Amino acid sequence: MCVDLLCSGVVMLQVEHLSVRYGENIALDDISFTIPRQRVVGIIGPNGAGKSTLIKAMLGLVPLSGGQVLLKGKPLLPQRQRVAYIPQRASIDWDFPATVQDVVLMGLTPYLKLSENLQEKHYTLVNEALNRVRMAEFSQGRIGELSGGQQQRVFLARSLVQAVDLYLLDEPLVGVDQTTEQVILNIFDELRAEGKSVLVVNHDLGQVVKRYDDILLLRKNLVAFGERDQVFNSENLNRAYAGQVALV
Ligand SMILES: Nc1ncnc2c1ncn2[C@@H]1O[C@H](COP(=O)(O)OP(=O)(O)OP(=O)(O)O)[C@@H](O)[C@H]1O
Ligand SMILES: [Mg+2]
């Protein structure tokens, strides 16, 4: 008989006893949580809390010193193509000489057969994705010449052309304009409605938090995790940010 969330097909992501060390420094210590389908989850914590490390560890970009990560009940890494990742902006080479359209087309690379040429259907997909993030008019512009917010929307479009279940976004809203913020938050709502889950690292503890279903508070350890209204209170925030300034 099927009684738990996993066998009912509701679970998207399970992180079990995940630990990461950089040399002697323990960056994440025994982190466990489960995220169902159709959730938008904010990962919140002070500088150096391990937010980026958590996302990178899930994707195998930094080695785990313990634990495991499952996507829909099976190890995530062999299903890596079912997960979209947008890194923290500082880690991307923004001088790359590519057009907006090129950048989004790159998202299709894993789905093209060797020697397959790009066809009209591929450009249509790219155009649809650029429309969703309201960047279609910039399709022939250089990525390096866009504002930070516009670049962020293009990178989101690149992940939208992919057939993925889970989106991992590292600080997509930092320093972006109001339009970009609204576009990105609306896409989170659309992705939820499509049955996907989104994990989004967030620095800012302002109004934006209301758009998340769940909050994961991190500070090397898992400080708290659960529905936003249960977790987002001053007691938990004080535990996560003790001694550091929270950006409210
Ligand atoms: N490649 C690395 N080598 C060594 N230590 C690292 C490396 N990356 C991160 N760290 C350390 O691990 C800890 C967690 O870093 P991480 O970048 O995951 O934090 P974060 O929560 O994303 O911070 P921020 O809010 O500044 O982006 C920090 O102490 C950091 O100095
Ligand atoms: Mg980070």
Side-chain angles (χ1 to χ4, degrees):
M1 195 174 67
C2 203
V3 286
D4 66 9
L5 284 174
L6 182 58
C7 62
S8 61
V10 174
V11 165
M12 180 65 78
L13 177 74
Q14 291 158 281
V15 171
E16 297 180 341
H17 303 292
L18 183 144
S19 297
V20 176
R21 288 169 177 274
Y22 295 108
E24 291 293 292
N25 178 17
I26 298 172
L28 291 173
D29 189 15
D30 197 16
I31 306 290
S32 297
F33 59 91
T34 297
I35 292 177
R37 289 176 64 216
Q38 298 195 292
R39 303 300 279 186
V40 179
V41 181
I43 301 177
I44 292 176
N47 285 127
K51 305 180 296 294
S52 299
T53 299
L54 177 60
I55 287 187
K56 288 180 192 165
M58 287 184 213
L59 295 166
L61 300 175
V62 296
L64 309 188
S65 56
Q68 63 171 351
V69 181
L70 306 177
L71 180 71
K72 295 186 166 176
K74 300 200 180 101
L76 183 145
L77 282 191
Q79 313 178 67
R80 170 68 182 82
Q81 75 283 5
R82 306 294 305 176
V83 184
Y85 169 49
I86 304 186
Q88 207 164 343
R89 257 179 41 223
S91 63
I92 300 173
D93 178 6
W94 297 102
D95 292 329
F96 194 69
T99 66
V100 165
Q101 186 181 56
D102 292 336
V103 170
V104 182
L105 276 169
M106 279 177 220
L108 289 173
T109 314
Y111 309 99
L112 295 174
K113 295 185 196 80
L114 215 65
S115 81
E116 185 185 1
N117 288 324
L118 289 169
Q119 298 164 28
E120 197 53 42
K121 63 179 180 187
H122 300 123
Y123 288 99
T124 304
L125 275 173
V126 167
N127 204 40
E128 281 168 8
L130 283 171
N131 266 322
R132 278 180 79 176
V133 299
R134 292 168 51 190
M135 284 297 293
E137 65 186 287
F138 295 93
S139 135
Q140 298 310 315
R142 284 279 189 113
I143 183 79
E145 291 167 4
L146 302 178
S147 74
Q150 291 170 329
Q151 288 173 337
Q152 205 65 7
R153 280 190 265 161
V154 173
F155 278 80
L156 185 56
R158 185 178 62 172
S159 69
L160 292 175
V161 299
Q162 304 182 320
V164 302
D165 299 314
L166 177 67
Y167 288 76
L168 304 178
L169 312 181
D170 199 346
E171 309 230 27
L173 301 174
V174 166
V176 303
D177 54 281
Q178 280 286 312
T179 307
T180 298
E181 182 170 298
Q182 285 317 311
V183 166
I184 292 179
L185 291 172
N186 290 340
I187 295 236
F188 291 170
D189 292 340
E190 291 173 21
L191 293 174
R192 183 200 293 110
E194 291 166 16
K196 315 202 169 190
S197 296
V198 182
L199 265 69
V200 44
V201 174
N202 195 8
H203 225 101
D204 181 344
L205 306 179
Q207 291 298 317
V208 116
V209 170
K210 295 202 175 121
R211 303 291 290 265
Y212 302 139
D213 305 312
D214 301 308
I215 299 288
L216 190 155
L217 270 179
L218 195 65
R219 184 174 187 165
K220 193 190 297 188
N221 299 290
L222 188 66
V223 175
F225 171 66
E227 287 188 26
R228 184 194 59 237
D229 291 343
Q230 306 293 319
V231 167
F232 202 73
N233 55 47
S234 51
E235 189 191 333
N236 283 334
L237 287 172
N238 282 337
R239 283 171 61 212
Y241 282 85
Q244 293 208 30
V245 179
L247 291 173
V248 181

